[in-house]
Amino acid sequence: QVHLVESGGGSVQAGGSLRLSCAASKYYYSSYSMGWFRQAPGKEREGVAVIDSDGATKYADSMKGRFTISRDSADNTLYLQLNSLKPEDTAMYYCAADLRKIGSWYPGDTNFGYWGQGTQVTVSS
C-alpha cells in the first residue's frame, strides 16, 4: 500500500509559479513510477507528467517547458514545479503511483493504482 499526500497548491496570478509536493509512504517508494494529474471542473482527469524509478520523465505537450516533475528518494517526495501559470491551469492536482512502466504513457492514460487526495491550484487573470 502506498499512501500519498499532496501539498503546495494555492491561488496565484497568471504568470506566477507554484511548487507542488507529494509525500509518499516509504515502503517501495523508489520502485514506483509516479505522476501528476489534474482535473478541472466538468472535465476529465488528464495527465501532466510522469517519472519512473530511474528518473526518466514524460510530459503532456501543453505543459512541456512550463512544468517540471522531479522526485527525491531521500525524503520520499515527488515534486511538480509550475511556472508561467495560466488561468486554464486551474484545477485540482493529484499525484499518483504505480509499479508500471511509463514508456507507453500518454496524457489520457490515468491507469495508476494509488492516488492522493489532491491539492487545488487556482490561477487568476
Side-chain angles (χ1 to χ4, degrees):
Q1 187 75 13
V2 178
H3 184 57
L4 304 170
V5 180
E6 301 96 332
S7 61
S11 297
V12 297
Q13 291 190 324
S17 298
L18 285 171
R19 190 191 196 199
L20 308 184
S21 299
C22 172
S25 53
K26 184 176 181 179
Y27 196 57
Y28 285 154
Y29 167 77
S30 61
S31 300
Y32 280 71
S33 292
M34 308 286 292
W36 285 100
F37 298 78
R38 70 184 188 184
Q39 189 167 18
K43 293 189 176 181
E44 296 286 321
R45 187 170 297 188
E46 64 174 347
V48 174
V50 295
I51 184 168
D52 70 10
S53 58
D54 294 323
T57 58
K58 298 188 77 173
Y59 291 87
D61 286 344
S62 62
M63 290 85 166
K64 199 176 297 183
R66 297 192 300 127
F67 297 175
T68 303
I69 189 172
S70 61
R71 65 191 296 167
D72 186 339
S73 296
D75 63 4
N76 304 318
T77 303
L78 178 73
Y79 299 100
L80 185 69
Q81 180 67 42
L82 308 171
N83 295 330
S84 302
L85 282 162
K86 305 174 182 179
E88 52 263 44
D89 294 319
T90 295
M92 186 71 79
Y93 284 70
Y94 299 89
C95 72
D98 200 272
L99 284 169
R100 59 171 290 176
K101 303 296 185 183
I102 65 168
S104 61
W105 182 81
Y106 60 98
D109 177 1
T110 60
N111 189 21
F112 276 64
Y114 300 99
W115 293 84
Q117 294 300 305
T119 186
Q120 178 68 38
V121 171
T122 302
V123 185
S124 58
S125 57

